[in-house]
Amino acid sequence: MKAEFGYDAGKKINGRKRHLVVDTRGLPLIVMVTPADLHDAVSRPKDASGFIVLPRRWVVERSLAWMMQPRRRARDYERLIQHSETLITWAAITLMTRRLARKGATPSRPGQPASADS
Protein backbone atom coordinates (compact mmCIF):
# COMPACT_ATOMS: atom_id res chain seq x y z
CA MET A 1 0.00 0.00 0.00
CA LYS A 2 1.33 3.43 -0.95
CA ALA A 3 1.90 5.90 1.88
CA GLU A 4 -0.85 8.53 2.00
CA PHE A 5 0.94 10.78 4.52
CA GLY A 6 4.55 11.81 5.02
CA TYR A 7 6.86 14.09 6.99
CA ASP A 8 8.72 17.00 5.38
CA ALA A 9 11.74 17.70 7.60
CA GLY A 10 12.52 20.99 5.82
CA LYS A 11 9.10 22.54 6.40
CA LYS A 12 8.50 20.48 9.56
CA ILE A 13 5.02 19.35 8.58
CA ASN A 14 3.20 16.04 8.74
CA GLY A 15 0.58 15.06 6.23
CA ARG A 16 0.20 16.16 2.64
CA LYS A 17 1.15 18.98 0.31
CA ARG A 18 -1.23 20.61 -2.16
CA HIS A 19 0.06 21.54 -5.60
CA LEU A 20 -1.84 23.74 -8.06
CA VAL A 21 -1.32 24.92 -11.59
CA VAL A 22 -3.49 28.00 -12.13
CA ASP A 23 -4.18 30.43 -14.95
CA THR A 24 -3.57 34.17 -14.62
CA ARG A 25 -7.00 34.68 -13.04
CA GLY A 26 -6.26 32.13 -10.32
CA LEU A 27 -8.54 29.38 -11.62
CA PRO A 28 -6.95 25.94 -11.21
CA LEU A 29 -5.98 23.90 -14.24
CA ILE A 30 -4.37 21.00 -12.35
CA VAL A 31 -4.81 19.94 -8.71
CA MET A 32 -2.44 17.42 -7.16
CA VAL A 33 -2.04 16.30 -3.54
CA THR A 34 1.08 14.37 -2.52
CA PRO A 35 2.53 13.01 0.72
CA ALA A 36 4.60 15.65 2.49
CA ASP A 37 7.84 13.69 2.17
CA LEU A 38 8.00 14.13 -1.63
CA HIS A 39 10.46 16.78 -2.76
CA ASP A 40 8.83 19.90 -4.28
CA ALA A 41 11.67 22.37 -4.90
CA VAL A 42 10.81 25.40 -7.07
CA SER A 43 13.46 26.07 -9.72
CA ARG A 44 15.24 29.36 -9.13
CA PRO A 45 17.28 31.62 -11.38
CA LYS A 46 20.91 30.42 -11.59
CA ASP A 47 22.37 33.70 -10.30
CA ALA A 48 19.96 33.93 -7.33
CA SER A 49 21.18 34.14 -3.78
CA GLY A 50 18.91 34.47 -0.77
CA PHE A 51 15.17 35.10 -0.98
CA ILE A 52 13.82 36.13 -4.38
CA VAL A 53 10.13 36.59 -5.21
CA LEU A 54 9.31 34.38 -8.17
CA PRO A 55 7.15 36.11 -10.79
CA ARG A 56 3.41 35.40 -10.63
CA ARG A 57 3.79 33.07 -7.63
CA TRP A 58 1.34 35.24 -5.70
CA VAL A 59 -1.42 34.09 -8.08
CA VAL A 60 -1.03 30.50 -6.87
CA GLU A 61 -0.75 31.56 -3.22
CA ARG A 62 -3.88 33.72 -3.57
CA SER A 63 -5.79 30.85 -5.17
CA LEU A 64 -4.81 28.49 -2.36
CA ALA A 65 -5.93 31.07 0.20
CA TRP A 66 -9.34 31.38 -1.50
CA MET A 67 -9.86 27.62 -1.56
CA MET A 68 -8.55 26.84 1.93
CA GLN A 69 -10.77 29.27 3.86
CA PRO A 70 -13.26 26.72 5.24
CA ARG A 71 -11.83 24.58 8.05
CA ARG A 72 -12.76 21.37 6.23
CA ARG A 73 -10.23 22.23 3.54
CA ALA A 74 -7.63 23.88 5.77
CA ARG A 75 -7.30 20.74 7.92
CA ASP A 76 -6.70 17.44 6.19
CA TYR A 77 -9.40 15.12 7.53
CA GLU A 78 -9.57 12.91 4.44
CA ARG A 79 -8.18 9.39 4.40
CA LEU A 80 -7.47 9.23 0.67
CA ILE A 81 -5.47 11.60 -1.51
CA GLN A 82 -8.21 11.48 -4.15
CA HIS A 83 -10.71 12.86 -1.63
CA SER A 84 -8.43 15.79 -0.83
CA GLU A 85 -7.98 16.54 -4.53
CA THR A 86 -11.73 16.33 -5.06
CA LEU A 87 -12.48 18.78 -2.23
CA ILE A 88 -10.00 21.30 -3.66
CA THR A 89 -11.52 20.89 -7.13
CA TRP A 90 -15.00 21.29 -5.64
CA ALA A 91 -13.89 24.51 -3.93
CA ALA A 92 -12.55 25.81 -7.25
CA ILE A 93 -15.84 25.00 -9.00
CA THR A 94 -17.73 26.84 -6.25
CA LEU A 95 -15.50 29.90 -6.67
CA MET A 96 -15.96 29.85 -10.45
CA THR A 97 -19.74 29.55 -10.28
CA ARG A 98 -19.95 32.40 -7.77
CA ARG A 99 -17.89 34.58 -10.08
CA LEU A 100 -20.11 33.71 -13.04
CA ALA A 101 -23.28 34.35 -11.06
CA ARG A 102 -21.95 37.71 -9.90
CA LYS A 103 -21.31 38.87 -13.48
CA GLY A 104 -24.98 38.74 -14.41
CA ALA A 105 -26.32 39.89 -11.05
CA THR A 106 -28.61 42.89 -10.86
CA PRO A 107 -27.75 45.86 -8.64
CA SER A 108 -28.69 45.45 -4.99
CA ARG A 109 -30.65 48.72 -4.93
CA PRO A 110 -32.92 49.98 -7.71
CA GLY A 111 -31.37 52.80 -9.69
CA GLN A 112 -27.82 52.00 -8.55
CA PRO A 113 -25.39 50.83 -11.25
CA ALA A 114 -23.60 47.50 -10.80
CA SER A 115 -19.97 47.90 -9.72
CA ALA A 116 -17.29 47.41 -12.38
CA ASP A 117 -15.38 44.74 -10.47
CA SER A 118 -18.35 42.45 -9.79
Side-chain angles (χ1 to χ4, degrees):
M1 182 174 153
K2 187 175 91 169
E4 298 281 330
F5 295 93
Y7 178 74
D8 183 0
K11 295 182 181 179
K12 295 182 177 42
I13 61 166
N14 276 322
R16 299 179 179 139
K17 292 182 186 173
R18 299 165 181 100
H19 308 275
L20 290 178
V21 175
V22 299
D23 64 4
T24 56
R25 302 175 91 195
L27 300 176
L29 303 173
I30 298 173
V31 175
M32 188 169 74
V33 177
T34 60
D37 56 358
L38 286 177
H39 188 60
D40 65 343
V42 176
S43 58
R44 296 166 37 95
K46 294 188 187 333
D47 58 348
S49 64
F51 178 76
I52 292 179
V53 177
L54 298 173
R56 305 296 291 179
R57 183 180 182 137
W58 63 271
V59 175
V60 177
E61 298 296 335
R62 179 190 66 188
S63 300
L64 274 171
W66 286 340
M67 287 181 254
M68 297 302 149
Q69 282 182 346
R71 183 175 171 81
R72 172 79 189 261
R73 288 181 233 125
R75 303 288 177 255
D76 193 12
Y77 297 120
E78 308 333 306
R79 297 183 84 193
L80 299 174
I81 287 179
Q82 294 85 358
H83 292 177
S84 294
E85 289 175 351
T86 303
L87 280 176
I88 294 170
T89 304
W90 189 3
I93 291 169
T94 303
L95 285 171
M96 287 185 268
T97 53
R98 285 184 181 167
R99 285 184 189 176
L100 288 171
R102 218 175 26 192
K103 294 290 184 192
T106 58
S108 58
R109 291 187 226 158
Q112 185 179 11
S115 63
D117 63 340
S118 60

